[in-house]
């Protein structure tokens, strides 16, 4: 059975080819029918009637022969008409099939270009269509897309290099400013107002340092070379929760851990640990006093999942969907949001994407946030299995 989608170029090509084929067949059959039935028939030649024959009998015999010939011609015309209709019906089916085959063959290069273009994203702009074949409109289209991808790759690479270089260059004056501030406030006899100003400046310098560090991690996740080590996500999550024990105790948070084993993935250990740290930091910093945190890791099919849930007020899913963008927050009234750089979850999303995973953010119906990270699962080698 032939399946055609309405409104596609393939459908239009199929109708065009089938229509032209059918019109040509109808014209050919009509011409054949006209030529076959357009000639006049005469009685077969016979001997001359003898002079002594009966003229009335001869005329009657001729009339009888003409009637037989007319009947034969009519029967022949009916057979020809029925045969032509059957042939036209068969040719109609054949024309649709042939039209579909021709349309698919003509559009095959476009399908290849479309499929290859869909596979290209911001993470693999180095790929090219590289369509081979004669120089025609299709190859011109593919070469134009390759040129566009080359320009996009250069633009993305320049932007990422700029972010990384700028972050590195800004660290030097930042360190100089911090050292000068420490020297100034360490002098004897400094006024209390100067000490308070120094504390405020040091806090702002720490925020700038965190912001630059976030830029560097984001640039590395999007453009850097990743490692290929086997990483246990459950172990990273346990370490991240343990390192933030002081912050958890300060807010009197209740932490529930369900860290199942066998959650191996492959990638850069430092980046993956930073990803897990950012998720746990987000759960601690943006939580309520006497709140709760639930951390769990498990395997789901061909994926390893890290899920961190927190309680709190009911959030709008539309606002939650924006949190993976840089410098997006849920509002200044959100607990702890004034101390963050706004890059935490965007770094998480970039690191997950660089490792073939994804970040999912969900506003919990009862209040709070559910952060889920899915990463490709790496089977445990047979020689290390218990």
């Amino acid at each position: 059975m032939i399946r055609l989608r309405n409104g596609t170029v393939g459908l239009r090509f199929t109708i065009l080819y089938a229509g032209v084929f059918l019109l040509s067949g109808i014209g050919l059959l009509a011409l054949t029918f006209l030529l076959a039935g357009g000639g006049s028939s005469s009685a077969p030649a016979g001997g001359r009637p003898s002079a002594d024959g009966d003229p009335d009998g001869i005329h009657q015999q001729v009339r009888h022969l003409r009637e037989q010939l007319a009947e034969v011609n009519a029967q022949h015309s009916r057979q020809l008409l029925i045969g032509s209709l059957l042939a036209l019906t068969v040719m109609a089916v054949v024309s649709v099939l042939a039209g579909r085959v021709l349309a698919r063959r003509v559009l095959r290069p476009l399908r290849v270009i479309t499929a290859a273009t869909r596979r290209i994203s911001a993470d693999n702009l180095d790929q090219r269509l590289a369509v081979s074949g004669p120089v025609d409109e299709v190859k011109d289209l593919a070469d134009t897309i390759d040129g566009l991808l080359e320009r996009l790759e250069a633009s993305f690479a320049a932007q990422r290099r700029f972010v990384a270089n700028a972050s590195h260059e800004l660290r030097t004056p930042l360190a100089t400013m911090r050292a000068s501030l420490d020297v100034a406030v360490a002098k004897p006899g400094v006024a209390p107002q100067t000490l308070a100003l120094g504390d405020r400046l040091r806090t702002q310098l720490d925020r700038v340092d965190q912001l630059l560090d976030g830029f560097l991690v984001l640039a590395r996740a999007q453009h850097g070379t990743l490692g290929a080590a086997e990483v246990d996500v459950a172990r990273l999550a346990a370490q991240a929760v343990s390192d933030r024990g002081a912050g958890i105790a300060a807010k009197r948070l209740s932490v529930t851990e369900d860290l199942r084993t066998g959650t191996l993935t492959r990638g850069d250990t430092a980046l993956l640990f930073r990803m897990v740290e950012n998720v746990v930091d987000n759960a601690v910093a943006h939580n309520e006093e006497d709140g709760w945190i639930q951390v769990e890791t498990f395997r789901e099919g061909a994926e390893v999942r890290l899920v961190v849930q927190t309680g709190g007020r009911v959030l709008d899913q539309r606002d939650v969907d924006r949190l993976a963008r840089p410098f997006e927050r849920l509002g200044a009234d959100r607990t702890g949001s004034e101390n963050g750089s706004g890059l935490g979850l965007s770094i998480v999303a970039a690191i997950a994407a660089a490792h073939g995973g994804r970040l999912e953010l969900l506003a919990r119906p009862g209040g709070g946030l559910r952060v889920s990270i899915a990463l490709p699962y790496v089977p445990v080698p047979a020689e290390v299995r218990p």
Side-chain angles (χ1 to χ4, degrees):
M1 181 179 180
I2 301 176
R3 297 182 178 179
L4 297 173
R5 293 181 297 173
N6 293 330
T8 64
V9 178
L11 176 59
R12 292 196 291 270
F13 271 135
T14 301
I15 295 175
L16 177 62
Y17 292 149
V20 172
F21 199 63
L22 279 177
L23 289 177
S24 300
I26 292 173
L28 180 61
L29 291 176
L31 182 61
T32 302
F33 184 75
L34 290 175
L35 291 177
S40 60
S41 301
S42 59
R48 288 178 175 270
S50 59
D52 55 353
D54 185 7
D56 294 335
I58 294 175
H59 287 299
Q60 186 176 3
Q61 185 179 5
V62 170
R63 189 167 48 253
H64 180 67
L65 291 175
R66 286 179 177 177
E67 291 176 355
Q68 288 182 342
L69 183 59
E71 184 178 355
V72 170
N73 286 336
Q75 185 177 3
H76 178 69
S77 299
R78 286 194 299 270
Q79 293 177 350
L80 183 59
L81 179 61
I82 294 174
S84 300
L85 292 176
L86 291 176
L88 186 61
T89 302
V90 173
M91 293 307 298
V93 177
V94 173
S95 64
V96 173
L97 294 173
R100 182 57 176 169
V101 172
L102 291 175
R104 291 179 63 86
R105 186 173 184 84
V106 170
L107 297 176
R108 184 188 304 167
L110 294 180
R111 291 197 302 273
V112 173
I113 293 175
T114 302
T117 305
R118 285 174 177 170
R119 290 193 298 267
I120 298 175
S121 64
D123 299 324
N124 57 351
L125 287 174
D126 57 324
Q127 295 187 10
R128 296 294 181 267
L129 302 179
V131 174
S132 59
V135 180
D136 53 10
E137 290 81 358
V138 175
K139 184 169 176 55
D140 289 341
L141 175 61
D143 292 341
T144 302
I145 295 178
D146 283 341
L148 174 62
L149 292 174
E150 185 176 356
R151 293 191 295 272
L152 286 175
E153 181 186 13
S155 177
F156 273 75
Q159 181 184 15
R160 290 163 180 167
R161 282 196 303 269
F162 172 77
V163 172
N165 294 336
S167 300
H168 278 295
E169 293 298 327
L170 288 175
R171 282 185 175 275
T172 300
L174 187 64
T176 303
M177 294 170 60
R178 191 188 302 275
S180 301
L181 180 63
D182 292 338
V183 171
V185 298
K187 293 180 178 180
V190 178
Q193 295 87 349
T194 304
L195 292 176
L197 177 62
D199 291 337
R200 289 196 298 270
L201 289 177
R202 188 177 289 106
T203 300
Q204 296 302 319
L205 289 175
D206 290 339
R207 291 190 62 186
V208 174
D209 188 56
Q210 293 175 1
L211 184 62
L212 293 179
D213 182 65
F215 281 144
L216 288 173
V217 175
L218 192 60
R220 183 186 173 193
Q222 294 178 339
H223 192 63
T225 302
L226 301 179
E230 292 183 356
V231 182
D232 188 351
V233 178
R235 184 174 301 175
L236 297 183
Q239 182 65 41
V241 173
S242 176
D243 292 344
R244 280 141 191 85
I248 293 173
K251 283 191 173 183
R252 300 183 300 277
L253 300 177
S254 173
V255 180
T256 303
E257 298 181 54
D258 183 13
L259 306 178
R260 306 176 193 176
T261 59
T263 54
L264 287 181
T265 189
R266 181 175 285 111
D268 189 287
T269 305
L271 284 179
L272 290 173
F273 188 48
R274 179 61 180 269
M275 177 190 70
V276 176
E277 284 184 319
N278 281 13
V279 174
V280 177
D281 279 338
N282 185 78
V284 175
H286 304 302
N287 212 322
E288 302 175 324
E289 298 284 344
D290 300 314
W292 60 271
I293 301 175
Q294 180 179 348
V295 183
E296 56 180 330
T297 58
F298 54 91
R299 176 187 169 191
E300 188 176 64
E303 293 180 335
V304 171
R305 281 192 176 266
L306 166 66
V307 178
V308 178
Q309 301 188 69
T310 57
R313 62 184 177 89
V314 178
L315 304 175
D316 190 341
Q317 184 62 43
R318 291 174 295 182
D319 294 333
V320 170
D321 292 337
R322 297 186 291 104
L323 290 179
R325 304 174 188 173
F327 307 111
E328 289 286 350
R329 300 182 179 92
L330 287 179
D333 57 340
R334 190 182 182 201
T335 304
S337 62
E338 66 277 3
N339 298 323
S341 64
L343 291 175
L345 290 180
S346 61
I347 290 175
V348 172
I351 295 176
H355 289 81
R358 64 187 183 278
L359 169 67
E360 299 174 356
L361 302 175
L362 180 65
R364 300 180 69 254
L369 185 65
R370 182 181 189 270
V371 180
S372 176
I373 301 173
L375 296 169
Y377 168 68
V378 176
V380 180
E383 58 271 14
V384 300
R385 289 177 185 173

